Amino acid sequence: MPSPRDIATASYGGDEAGLICGYLFDAAAEEPASAIDSAAAADWLQQAEPPAGAFLWLHFNLSHAQAERWLQRHADLSDTFFETLKEGLHSTRIERADDSLIAVINDVHFEFSFEPSDISTLWISVGPRLVVTARAKPLRSVDALRTAVKAGDAPRSTTELLEHLLRAQAEVLVNIVRGVTARIDTIEDELLAGRLDHKRARLGAMRRLLVRLQRLLAPEPAALFRLLQRPPSWMAEADAQELRGSTEEFSVVLRDMGALQERIKLLQEEIAANVNEDNNRSLFVLTVVTVLALPINILAGLFGMNVGGIPLAEDKHGFWVVVAIVLSFTAIAAWAAFRKKR
């Protein structure tokens, strides 16, 4: 029987062309956002003069063998987009190519479980009449945008659609930061209560997640700011301003992630200090026990030798004399050990 994860992955697989979802946005139509399949999308793209103000959003599954072929045959995208797909580079970037925008952004998987490996890449091409997004694994931000469109959210332009996608990505990161913060709060409470448990491993996993996310996502705001210094001719000033706003929100989230990393680092240092203190205490106890047992071990070794002339061998009070000697030396050793500890 297939698992729920397998069923979810299959449902995101796409049609025969690898199209997961497609929407035609037209503010002048009765339905501003209408779903469209790959065949209808190919026909719409072949029009010599598409309706003014109308544009397409097509979201593809790159794991499908036909997805890239369909894009090359029907979408008329920039060569830079296909070169970016073949390069396989996952570093975040946004750049101009001919009269379109090419973006590579990173996002978390739809089934995200706080593991650093649950991060994947989304490739985007934005033109005046077409937005193409492509991924190999289901991603949260695209699913959030898809849900919003189904609920009736209809962007007025391709730039506004990109802005909605970036805000959805920022919202996903905000939820991650909230989730990590809640976990850190729980760990901190347990630490203050003296229950160490296995929190060091849990903190290490969350810190690796935040470090990887920040390393992958940190270039995104700067890349978008550089792009908006010279936006494409088809991008309206109002849309460019909205993109700047989404970039600022994204920068705030990245700063929050950096602050969380510092907080985790401080907790790790405090836990390490507590562990070292416990180890030192255990070593001290072991040292004291060793010191206290030293006199009796020495005397037992001396009196246990099978040679003649052992003192007190014929004395009827010899045993108690030896016990008194052992206790005296043990008391002196204990006094010396505890005085050094103080």
Side-chain angles (χ1 to χ4, degrees), residues 70-83:
W70 191 97
L71 289 171
Q72 292 174 336
R73 186 178 306 150
H74 301 288
D76 192 25
L77 300 177
S78 169
D79 293 337
T80 305
F81 178 77
F82 296 106
E83 291 172 1

Side-chain angles (χ1 to χ4, degrees), residues 285-295 297:
V285 172
L286 180 62
T287 302
V288 169
V289 171
T290 303
V291 169
L292 295 181
L294 184 60
N297 286 331

Side-chain angles (χ1 to χ4, degrees), residues 145-164:
L145 178 59
R146 181 181 179 184
T147 301
V149 171
K150 283 183 177 180
D153 187 359
R156 296 165 298 176
S157 65
T158 55
T159 307
E160 187 175 343
L161 180 67
L162 176 62
E163 182 261 332
H164 284 200

Side-chain angles (χ1 to χ4, degrees), residues 131-180:
V131 177
V132 171
T133 55
R135 54 74 174 166
K137 297 180 180 179
L139 301 175
R140 282 195 177 186
S141 60
V142 179
D143 185 76
L145 178 59
R146 181 181 179 184
T147 301
V149 171
K150 283 183 177 180
D153 187 359
R156 296 165 298 176
S157 65
T158 55
T159 307
E160 187 175 343
L161 180 67
L162 176 62
E163 182 261 332
H164 284 200
L165 179 60
L166 294 179
R167 289 189 185 275
Q169 184 191 25
E171 183 63 29
V172 169
L173 294 179
V174 168
N175 291 333
I176 292 175
V177 170
R178 289 173 180 168
V180 173

Side-chain angles (χ1 to χ4, degrees), residues 193-213:
R195 300 189 299 270
L196 286 176
D197 196 21
H198 301 290
K199 288 183 283 295
R200 281 187 296 173
R202 290 153 59 189
L203 285 172
M206 286 186 285
R207 188 178 178 187
R208 288 195 302 272
L209 164 68
L210 293 175
V211 167
R212 188 180 178 198
L213 275 174

Side-chain angles (χ1 to χ4, degrees), residues 62 113 121 159 180 226 245 252 255 257 274 331 337 341:
L62 291 176
S113 58
T121 305
T159 307
V180 173
R226 286 193 299 269
V252 171
R255 286 197 295 270
M257 291 174 62
N274 288 342
K341 177 64 176 177

